[in-house]
């Protein structure tokens, strides 16, 4: 992850699938030292069953302390969202979320649920394998670039500037 050309942290995502079900774990660890130092760590777990989001949990830690906690769980035909103790019901089916963008190109997808802020946003293809995510006001939030249906590069707009996410691969040997 890069901000203003400087490496500010790492993002690791793992997707495992079995019998049409997916489990995704994503960990973001960012350290920023501009006018002041702060560390943000996101721990995100998401479960899909047969193409439908069943469960997600996102914890945000700021400078080592829990800053926010979002739970989303499908109950019947709606979702129960618990955000820092407040409960909301979402009456919408969720078939694509932020957890899927890394290994599942959003071909034909129009809406994306962003687990980290518990919001639905719009996603659209620009040209070829480039996609843009817009918020409810139509402002560009993220831009994604794919190759062979796998995310290679992303630009994410934040108050401090545009964060660039560049894919690197690591071969883990369990021997």
């Amino acid at each position: 992850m890069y901000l203003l050309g400087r490496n500010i942290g790492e993002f690791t995502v793992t997707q495992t699938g079995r019998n049409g079900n997916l489990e995704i774990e994503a960990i973001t660890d960012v350290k920023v030292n501009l006018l002041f130092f702060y560390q943000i760590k996101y721990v995100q777990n998401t479960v899909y069953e047969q193409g439908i989001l069943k469960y997600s949990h996102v914890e945000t830690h700021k400078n080592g302390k829990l800053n926010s906690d979002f739970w989303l769980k499908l109950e019947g035909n709606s979702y129960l969202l618990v955000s820092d103790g407040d409960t909301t019901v979402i009456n919408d089916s969720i078939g694509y979320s932020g957890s899927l963008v890394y290994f599942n190109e959003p071909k034909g997808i129009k809406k994306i649920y962003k687990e980290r802020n518990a919001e639905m946003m719009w996603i659209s293809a620009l040209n070829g394998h480039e996609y843009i995510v817009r918020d409810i006001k139509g402002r560009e939030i993220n831009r994604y670039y794919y190759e062979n249906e796998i995310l290679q590069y992303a630009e994410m707009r934040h108050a401090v500037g545009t964060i660039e996410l560049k894919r690197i691969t690591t071969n883990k040997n369990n021997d």
Side-chain angles (χ1 to χ4, degrees), residues 14 64 73 87 151:
T14 305
K73 184 177 182 183
T87 304
L151 182 67

Side-chain angles (χ1 to χ4, degrees), residues 124-137:
S124 57
L126 289 180
N127 49 32
H129 301 280
E130 181 179 346
Y131 297 82
I132 188 170
V133 174
R134 295 186 187 276
D135 67 11
I136 196 162
K137 294 180 180 178

